[in-house]
Amino acid sequence: MTREEKSIAIENLTAKLAESNIIYIADTSGLDAETTSNLRHACFKADITLEVVKNTLLTKAMQASASDFGDLPSVLKGTSALMMGTIANAPAKIIKDFRRKSDKPVLKGAYINSEIYIGDNELEGLAALKSKEELVGEIIGLLQSPARRIISALLKHAEEKGAE
């Protein structure tokens, strides 16, 4: 790879990092072709981009980025697959699902809405994160519950008044 190609690759990675608030880095080394293909297919279905990247290029892209990736570049050793999506827990769920059949992929780290998560021990917590839509749904459900009780009580009171 020439210096110019590396520069272009870094610019492209920097642009991708700027576009996403959900970034996972996983170790996919040792996966056979069929399993890797299945992983790519699962990512595609979940609207997650999966790309194996060179560690040095990704490190330079993180340094050039406007976002603060903290200690995340420190996990860039060995094979690194970059997973980017729009739902915070989707990549973690895919990794967790694939781990039922084998010990890979291993979560190296994640960047989610300016929060840094380092290490595979974070996988369970990340998979349990609720998406924005799930949280909004829960809040609406909680708000509707008291409103329904008030409306029900008012209707009951109106019926009682009408029966008199």
Side-chain angles (χ1 to χ4, degrees):
M1 193 176 239
T2 67
R3 184 171 286 188
E4 186 176 316
E5 290 172 329
K6 287 180 183 178
S7 177
I8 292 169
I10 291 168
E11 286 177 24
N12 290 339
L13 278 172
T14 304
K16 287 178 184 179
L17 294 175
E19 292 173 3
S20 182
N21 285 328
I22 313 296
I23 300 166
Y24 282 68
I25 301 170
D27 178 2
T28 57
S29 64
L31 293 180
D32 61 25
E34 182 181 351
T35 307
T36 302
S37 177
N38 291 339
L39 178 61
R40 287 185 183 280
H41 183 69
C43 287
F44 178 77
K45 284 173 59 175
D47 198 27
I48 297 169
T49 59
L50 174 70
E51 179 180 353
V52 177
V53 294
K54 288 189 164 282
N55 293 328
T56 54
L57 298 179
L58 183 55
T59 300
K60 289 180 181 181
M62 286 179 170
Q63 291 168 348
S65 175
S67 299
D68 180 17
F69 290 100
D71 291 336
L72 201 55
S74 69
V75 303
L76 297 173
K77 295 172 182 67
T79 303
S80 296
L82 189 62
M83 301 172 82
M84 294 185 286
T86 56
I87 300 174
N89 64 358
K93 286 182 177 181
I94 288 175
I95 292 171
K96 191 175 172 184
D97 184 49
F98 268 80
R99 295 271 290 274
R100 291 184 185 135
K101 300 172 189 142
S102 69
D103 59 343
K104 297 278 180 152
V106 174
L107 177 67
K108 291 181 173 186
Y111 172 86
I112 301 171
N113 299 322
S114 301
E115 295 291 325
I116 309 292
Y117 302 89
I118 304 285
D120 194 57
N121 58 327
E122 299 282 354
L123 185 62
E124 289 295 325
L126 291 171
L129 284 176
K130 296 193 182 209
S131 69
K132 182 179 178 181
E133 291 77 17
E134 291 170 326
L135 288 173
V136 169
E138 280 185 16
I139 291 170
I140 289 172
L142 291 171
L143 292 174
Q144 284 179 342
S145 181
R148 284 186 182 145
R149 280 187 260 161
I150 291 170
I151 292 170
S152 176
L154 290 173
L155 289 174
K156 183 177 178 184
H157 182 71
E159 287 175 3
E160 289 173 358
K161 288 285 188 183
E164 291 179 1

